[in-house]
Amino acid sequence: MTKFADSKYVKALCDITFRSYDHGWDERNGGNVSLRLTAAELAEFDDLTEVKRTYDLGFDASELAGQYFLVTGSGRYFRNVIKRPELDSGLVKITVDGSQAELYWGFEDGAKPTSEFPTHLMSHIARLKVDPNQRVVMHCHPTNFIALSFTQALDERKLSRLLWQMQAESLVVFPEGVGIIPYMTPGTNEIGAKTAAKMADYRVVMWPHHGIFAVGADLDETFGLIETVEKAALIYSQIMAQGGQIKQRITDDQLKELAQAFDVEANPKFLA
């Protein structure tokens, strides 16, 4: 039987974390990612029977009881995961009472899941109610997207429309727009609850002056979602660098045509 360290899931995590670092989104130990895996997907591996350690979660995650998550470690650098995944990531299972996570693989040098793991789990709970196929939560620090939180009103309608108007792909990839929470201290249950509340309606949530939380069906889709949001923010940054004079833009009628052409439903609150 295959060892979990050699699995496609670990290899995909290594690839995405390095690509995210290489994009400049995850300086030092910034960023974290979690992937929900099914028991059936894990059945083929021969090294997942012993509980090596347990971690207190600090909130009631019983809605995820029995669920497995491959998650990056606290204080670990994304650029290193590809070189030492068994140290910088781990596979955990949520206990029946939802109070702890049991470690089955990884974190071999004593590491623990990211400090944002409770926030990830809260977002997983929220998205399971919307689309059970969405299994990835990713947090990182895209430069141009963060910059918008300093120069633009923290208004979901205005920011979503700005990003939609920067490129045709935006509305197609995130037709619901972007959710925004107030600036809050990271690593707390409070920011986790605020983020999860937004996840009921959005797959992208802005943490002002800090970064982005995004969800998707797999690692590639989630990465591509963030990539599209950041590209739109980059285009706007370049427009401002070139003098800020927008002489033409994608109109509302053209946005509606895009939605129809690609069979997506644009958020009606943002595109009347």
Side-chain angles (χ1 to χ4, degrees):
M1 298 178 75
T2 306
K3 289 189 174 297
F4 188 69
D6 299 323
S7 72
K8 64 182 180 181
Y9 310 112
V10 173
K11 290 178 181 177
L13 182 73
C14 289
D15 177 59
I16 288 296
T17 50
F18 187 80
R19 285 165 62 193
S20 188
Y21 159 74
D22 200 41
H23 272 53
W25 300 347
D26 295 279
E27 70 291 335
R28 200 174 182 270
N29 62 318
N32 31 80
V33 61
S34 62
L35 166 63
R36 179 169 54 86
L37 297 170
T38 68
E41 289 171 330
L42 297 171
E44 64 183 279
F45 302 106
D46 61 358
D47 53 352
L48 302 176
T49 56
E50 178 188 354
V51 177
K52 302 178 183 301
R53 289 192 299 281
T54 60
Y55 309 97
D56 291 332
L57 294 175
F59 86 107
D60 181 5
S62 56
E63 291 184 69
L64 296 172
Q67 299 283 343
Y68 292 85
F69 295 89
L70 180 60
V71 59
T72 53
S74 178
R76 299 308 170 98
Y77 294 19
F78 264 27
R79 69 173 180 266
N80 291 335
V81 178
I82 197 169
K83 296 181 290 187
R84 51 182 213 179
E86 72 286 352
L87 302 183
D88 297 339
S89 63
L91 179 72
V92 301
K93 180 183 179 182
I94 308 304
T95 56
V96 173
D97 66 1
S99 67
Q100 294 182 315
E102 299 171 333
L103 178 67
Y104 284 84
W105 174 88
F107 297 145
E108 291 181 2
D109 61 353
K112 58 184 181 180
T114 169
S115 61
E116 303 291 1
F117 193 41
T119 296
H120 279 245
L121 295 178
M122 292 178 197
S123 290
H124 278 290
I125 290 169
R127 290 309 298 182
L128 271 169
K129 297 172 182 176
V130 178
D131 184 349
N133 292 316
Q134 292 180 353
R135 304 198 293 171
V136 172
V137 174
M138 187 170 182
H139 168 59
C140 58
H141 307 153
T143 305
N144 295 280
F145 186 65
I146 295 171
L148 290 179
S149 72
F150 290 93
T151 63
Q152 304 299 306
L154 298 180
D155 180 296
E156 292 170 343
R157 183 179 190 275
K158 291 180 179 178
L159 185 66
S160 297
R161 287 175 56 81
L162 183 152
L163 295 170
W164 284 350
Q165 291 172 339
M166 290 300 101
Q167 58 181 352
E169 288 77 6
S170 289
L171 183 135
V172 175
V173 174
F174 51 101
E176 70 272 26
V178 172
I180 305 173
I181 65 170
Y183 176 82
M184 301 176 71
T185 301
T188 64
N189 285 353
E190 289 75 20
I191 197 170
K194 284 283 188 182
T195 304
K198 291 295 181 182
M199 286 293 181
D201 298 307
Y202 303 98
R203 290 173 300 131
V204 174
V205 177
M206 172 185 273
W207 283 13
H209 324 320
H210 182 144
I212 192 171
F213 251 74
V215 298
D218 56 40
L219 290 164
D220 272 342
E221 180 184 275
T222 311
F223 183 89
L225 173 59
I226 297 172
E227 202 169 29
T228 305
V229 172
E230 172 63 0
K231 181 62 175 289
L234 172 61
I235 293 169
Y236 183 76
S237 295
Q238 289 297 306
I239 291 169
M240 293 300 103
Q242 294 177 26
Q245 298 299 314
I246 298 179
K247 298 184 181 300
Q248 50 274 323
R249 67 176 72 236
I250 300 175
T251 67
D252 278 16
D253 285 343
Q254 290 168 334
L255 289 171
K256 291 174 183 177
E257 289 172 6
L258 273 169
Q260 184 175 12
F262 286 88
D263 195 26
V264 298
E265 182 179 354
N267 191 329
K269 296 179 183 177
F270 302 162
L271 187 62

